[in-house]
Amino acid sequence: MRAFTRLDGLVAPMDRANVDTDLMVPKQFLKSIQRSGFGPNLFDDLRYLDEGEPGMDNAARPLNPDFPLNFPRYQGASILLTRENFGCGSSREHAAWAMEDFGFRCVIAPSFADIFSSNALKNGILPIALASDQVETLFALLYAEEDLHLTIDLEACSIQLPDGAMWSFTVDAFRRDCLLQGLDDIGLTLQSAEAIKQFEQQHEARFPWLFRDIAL
Amino acid sequence: MAQTLYDKLWHAHLVEQREDGTALIYIDRHLLHEVTSPQAFEGLTLAQRDLWRRSANLAVPDHNVSTLASERAEGLAALPDAISRVQLQTLDDNCAAFNVVEIPLDDIRQGIVHVMGPEQGAVLPGMTVVCGDSHTSTHGAAGALAHGIGTSEVEHVLATQCLIQRKMKNFRIEVTGELSPGVTGKDIALAVIGRIGTAGGTGYALEFMGSAIRSLTMEGRMTLCNMAIEAGARCGLVAVDDVTLDYFRGKPLAPEGEQWDAAEQWWRTLRSDEDAVFDNTMVLNGSDIAPHVTWGTSPEMVTSVHGAVPRLADMPDDTAKQGLTRALEYMGLTEGMLIQDIRPDAVFIGSCTNSRIEDLREAAAVLTGKRIAPSVRKALVVPGSGLVKAQAESEGLDKIFLDAGMEWREPGCSMCLAMNADRLLPGERCASTSNRNFEGRQGSGGRTHLVSPAMAAAAAIAGHFVPVTTSAAAPVKESLS
């Protein structure tokens, strides 16, 4: 995983609540067995005027001029500003892969769905939950004339606004460490291999039926 | 100290509690399917890691399979969609390479992973169960701690048999009294989501309890727990009782003899203690719940079949107003419109929510001797597994559906998520027994109304939504023009 320490980024809006992972990556793209290449299909139904299918040349497809992520002013954005319950629905990690591939490293919202949040953190994307009035303030700044840039410092858990104001945010301490160091969960867990083995032996002694070989 | 059911399951699987609040939780059963596993197996291969415990894993193709008998007759290699074929072949190849037991596409036990799991006894009470699918919450109906996970977590469980988790909070949802005829687990789920919203359960384990829940069959409880994720909760739970034990006794992978006795002894403790403390509580009166229909593009946009689409003036704030405006535009509905004036032109009976034998019986009871309305152009019945299909056929249910003018398909996820060819056309409106009414979920531009199987069947006959109790008993109503 790519480490996340500090991000100086342009903010783009997704101004609606309950953005679901189906909207982020429509099902037809889940047929891919790859982990990469989903960026061009992020928000596919909203982003293009035609119906997307795997294998299309996305560069040749007609863009929806009314969809904010297509506006010239938001090109190169790495921070997505959105509303309540972002990432609800399906557990598809393709949604996080698409966000990362598109170039988003951070999402700011009043709240996130659990599974998306977990998937994002495992892919170097920082979900920041802020109070609703702070999110409103950011939307107001974003819709003002000037482009909105924020500086996010994960070490300090701070967001710096254009006027110099500093806001703090909280993030799970374990996930913060993993992000800061770009650590792989599996390697970390395998450091506890002995504890897992010991637990497993006790568990099997107590519940032997859970350890029957599956013979179907 | 008094414990909730969730607390008991958590502590029975706690490998390591860390100072930072995270914990390692041991996973008893890992279910896999073709869509969220290939990148996990690839990750293991790249890192040269092996499975921690091979026999914990069980795979089945379901999300991306064709449901046409004609397309499946010649096996996987003959499937017409080349991209899907590669994905399905990759599951077979990965299972062979890692020696994971797989129920292949041409096996009668193949089906939707959350139908197959309990049917085979691969899921049992007291287990921790994960799958790279959010509807893994289904298995909480068995008194199992079951959650959906992402692909990185699939890889993590394959390699370590553990999940890194933070303990969730406990949410008690009590449904008292008795359910009215025609009201199902689906309607309870929709009523709960309508109350607490799609984020109301975020961070919680939902435990459903009370007399109305106890009166549900195992399959009804599965439907209910299946939709816990639509309330934002990674898992739903129902305590173990005789209904649970009767369901699992004799299942192919269930313990037998002395092991069953030992298991039963533990399973009977799997309920919340009388004085257990919950972080949140909601009480509903079961007799107040009517059949429900979603009208919008989120499962929380739901009301009773006797209700109406809300009005903009009733929305509490601008975000809610914008959400309603967008939903109405997408759904092609007007504010204040009566639910019973909504006219589906497609019907889908299936999905991990409602494709089990009781669901099919419930729909067939409404459809017996009836024809679907001419305005309903597409009507699919997709059984949840080959065994459900065989059982339905032995009861003659397939004939009822076919005589009514519906299609009788092969098992799979089908039009719930429309990864295969079963999908709505833009603008098509569907009465669906599935779990999500998101924009484009059942096909780009498609419009979904979530209902129970009986409600879907009744709408198919009438050509518009009707309260199921009347339509099941009364002659077919003339369609409104």
Side-chain angles (χ1 to χ4, degrees), chain A residues 131-142:
Chain A
S132 296
D133 58 338
Q134 289 178 304
V135 170
E136 286 303 340
T137 302
L138 292 180
F139 267 110
L141 288 170
L142 179 74

Side-chain angles (χ1 to χ4, degrees), chain A:
Chain A
M1 182 173 78
R2 199 153 47 130
F4 185 118
T5 48
R6 194 182 158 88
L7 174 68
D8 222 333
L10 176 68
V11 184
M14 184 69 197
D15 194 353
R16 55 161 98 181
N18 297 315
V19 171
D20 60 76
T21 53
D22 272 84
L23 197 64
M24 294 165 76
V25 181
K27 64 269 166 191
Q28 62 270 33
F29 302 107
L30 308 189
K31 294 181 185 183
S32 167
I33 57 170
Q34 310 294 320
R35 196 181 273 261
S36 57
F38 292 99
N41 301 113
L42 178 69
F43 297 118
D44 199 274
D45 282 356
L46 301 176
R47 201 158 139 203
Y48 301 97
L49 293 171
D50 62 349
E51 196 172 331
E53 286 296 334
M56 279 179 153
D57 175 8
N58 293 298
R61 295 173 58 197
L63 290 171
N64 174 5
D66 298 327
F67 184 55
L69 289 190
N70 290 332
F71 295 179
R73 65 177 290 196
Y74 298 127
Q75 298 315 298
S78 56
I79 301 170
L80 186 70
L81 179 65
T82 184
R83 297 199 181 273
E84 291 82 4
N85 200 28
F86 184 80
C88 61
S90 159
S91 63
R92 60 188 69 169
E93 195 161 322
H94 311 67
W97 297 334
M99 291 282 286
E100 203 265 348
D101 197 42
F102 183 90
F104 285 121
R105 302 295 318 279
C106 174
V107 188
I108 299 176
S111 59
F112 293 88
D114 276 340
I115 304 179
F116 173 78
S117 180
S118 160
N119 287 339
L121 288 160
K122 289 176 168 61
N123 287 279
I125 300 170
L126 175 65
I128 300 180
L130 292 179
S132 296
D133 58 338
Q134 289 178 304
V135 170
E136 286 303 340
T137 302
L138 292 180
F139 267 110
L141 288 170
L142 179 74
Y143 289 140
E145 296 274 312
E146 296 292 317
D147 290 345
L148 176 62
H149 285 267
L150 297 174
T151 304
I152 291 156
D153 184 336
L154 183 57
E155 186 79 52
C157 284
S158 70
I159 304 176
Q160 187 175 358
L161 276 67
D163 66 359
M166 294 285 257
W167 290 352
S168 63
F169 63 88
T170 56
V171 59
D172 183 289
F174 171 72
R175 287 296 157 203
R176 176 170 162 273
D177 283 353
C178 290
L179 272 179
L180 284 170
Q181 298 174 62
L183 287 178
D184 161 18
D185 275 6
I186 297 178
L188 277 177
T189 299
L190 287 175
Q191 290 175 4
S192 297
E194 271 314 307
I196 301 171
K197 278 182 198 150
Q198 273 185 23
F199 175 88
E200 195 166 48
Q201 281 170 9
Q202 293 163 12
H203 202 57
E204 183 168 6
R206 194 173 167 206
F207 309 119
W209 60 89
L210 296 177
F211 290 78
R212 287 174 50 172
D213 211 15
I214 299 182
L216 285 170

